Amino acid sequence: MKKMAPPGVRPSPFGIALILTLVVVTGIYLSTGSSTHTTSLRSLLIASIDVAEKGGDKVREIRERDDNLEADSKGDTKEGAKMLVTEGDFASNREMVYPLKKAFPNVNIVSEERDEVVDDADIVPVKTTNAEVDRLVIGDEMVNVNDITVWIDPLDATQEYSEKLTKYVTTMVCIAVRGRPVIGVIHKPFERKTYWAWVKHGTNVDVFPNENIDDAIIVSRSHAGSVSDVARQAFGDGATVIPAGGAGYKTLALFNGEATVYVHTTLIKKWDICAGNAILDAMGGSMTSLYGANIDYTDHEVKNEGGILAARVNHASYLDKLGEILKGA
């Protein structure tokens, strides 16, 4: 009598579902560099460049389309200046925040603006490759998602944006790890130029040698307070004081030869300064409070009330000069 072959093993529906789930999760991880517990900082950098540029596209399109752009006030600063918000702020926020949240759902993201819920089908996926990053960045780091805070400013220099002073306008993303800024992205929409740096890994920021030029102090044109007087007292009457808009613009001015030191004496929000702080740290410069303290970029407080002093070189010297004035204040 012919023997029957042993019956085959039937895969269970649960087993099939488990395998499919693992395949999907693996695909998400490989495309974004993100898992439940850790995230690739390289992938976050690439995504941050992408959303900063897409947000900048919206900022530029709206400004060029609407010659009479309306700006609403969302409150006043301590000095009485209006804090403005425009359609450009909100449109950029949608392009920047929601794609990052979708790609990195377990990463904490803090943005200057609050917006309506966006339909998931309308969210454009972030890019997962960047040729410039591939060329200039060395290595990667996998970091616990609980240690990461992403700071987003969808439109820096809204006042100037509303006044058509578009050279000051930027969109910015910063990645902080355990409170320290490690990746900064600053995009200039109207120049279509993006500047980025990752501490100890690489940057695309060029440096203009300014070691031999006279002190040029760049300050805020809309939140000046008494900074101009303080700067001249600290650095001498021969120092040039340059009023400018936007914290992102002022930080980049330290690299292009326009300024040697950036001083801000009043309250400023962390989404305004985190990206610039990261770029300075990556390039051997420094940004601290007016009293020399490092700024903490964990998300428990969005305000920085200690002012800022930023310089690409000679930060300690500027801090000493400014400290003498502040002690006597």
Side-chain angles (χ1 to χ4, degrees), residues 172-184:
M172 297 189 285
V173 183
C174 177
I175 293 114
V177 177
R178 293 180 288 277
R180 292 300 302 150
V182 297
I183 293 176

Side-chain angles (χ1 to χ4, degrees), residues 1-311:
M1 184 177 184
K2 189 175 181 180
K3 293 184 178 179
M4 298 287 292
V9 178
R10 294 183 179 180
S12 72
F14 174 78
I16 294 173
L18 180 60
I19 291 170
L20 289 174
T21 300
L22 289 172
V23 169
V24 170
V25 170
T26 302
I28 293 172
Y29 176 81
L30 292 174
S31 64
T32 66
S34 181
S35 70
T36 304
H37 303 294
T38 62
T39 286
S40 157
L41 291 188
R42 188 187 188 100
S43 295
L44 258 178
L45 168 61
I46 292 170
S48 297
I49 293 169
D50 181 43
V51 299
E53 291 176 348
K54 287 175 179 173
D57 288 345
K58 288 295 182 182
V59 166
R60 186 179 61 256
E61 289 168 10
I62 290 170
R63 178 68 275 184
E64 292 175 349
R65 181 193 71 206
D66 191 349
D67 196 50
N68 298 306
L69 186 69
E70 293 185 3
D72 298 320
S73 175
K74 56 181 181 181
D76 295 343
T77 68
K78 287 183 177 180
E79 297 73 47
K82 296 292 183 185
M83 294 187 294
L84 300 181
V85 64
T86 68
E87 181 186 351
D89 294 81
F90 292 125
S92 179
N93 191 68
R94 289 191 289 270
E95 292 294 318
M96 295 178 71
V97 172
Y98 292 98
L100 274 184
K101 282 186 174 180
K102 186 173 183 178
F104 304 92
N106 299 304
V107 171
N108 182 33
I109 298 174
V110 182
S111 175
E112 178 176 8
E113 306 304 340
R114 300 291 181 268
D115 206 354
E116 72 276 7
V117 176
V118 174
D119 192 319
D120 189 71
D122 295 331
I123 299 173
V124 178
V126 297
K127 291 181 179 178
T128 57
T129 60
N130 182 297
E132 185 179 53
V133 170
D134 289 343
R135 188 174 74 252
L136 298 176
V137 165
I138 300 171
D140 195 0
E141 291 182 43
M142 298 301 297
V143 177
N144 190 302
V145 293
N146 296 322
D147 292 333
I148 299 172
T149 304
V150 177
W151 294 87
I152 291 180
D153 191 341
L155 200 168
D156 189 37
T158 301
Q159 176 73 47
E160 288 73 22
Y161 180 66
S162 69
E163 297 172 2
K164 299 182 182 178
L165 300 174
T166 54
K167 74 174 185 177
Y168 296 123
V169 174
T170 62
T171 60
M172 297 189 285
V173 183
C174 177
I175 293 114
V177 177
R178 293 180 288 277
R180 292 300 302 150
V182 297
I183 293 176
V185 178
I186 302 178
H187 175 65
K188 288 188 171 184
F190 296 91
E191 296 179 16
R192 292 176 168 83
K193 175 65 177 174
T194 305
Y195 304 83
W196 55 264
W198 180 6
V199 175
K200 298 181 180 179
H201 287 269
T203 182
N204 75 340
V205 179
D206 294 324
V207 177
F208 180 92
N210 62 358
E211 287 85 349
N212 298 318
I213 67 174
D214 294 332
D215 288 335
I217 302 96
I218 196 162
V219 303
S220 175
R221 63 186 291 271
S222 58
H223 301 84
S226 59
V227 66
S228 295
D229 292 338
V230 169
R232 286 198 172 94
Q233 289 178 55
F235 309 124
D237 292 334
T240 302
V241 176
I242 306 166
Y249 177 92
K250 289 192 281 289
T251 301
L252 292 177
L254 301 175
F255 295 94
N256 64 23
E258 183 179 357
T260 57
V261 59
Y262 168 24
V263 177
H264 189 96
T265 59
T266 57
L267 183 149
I268 191 168
K269 302 294 180 61
K270 292 179 182 178
W271 45 66
D272 292 316
I273 57 176
C274 186
N277 198 156
I279 292 174
L280 278 162
D281 284 359
M283 302 292 288
S286 186
M287 177 185 288
T288 66
S289 74
L290 295 174
Y291 302 93
N294 287 329
I295 299 165
D296 179 12
Y297 292 99
T298 50
D299 69 343
H300 65 274
E301 177 56 72
V302 302
K303 300 175 183 177
N304 174 61
E305 302 196 62
I308 59 171
L309 176 70

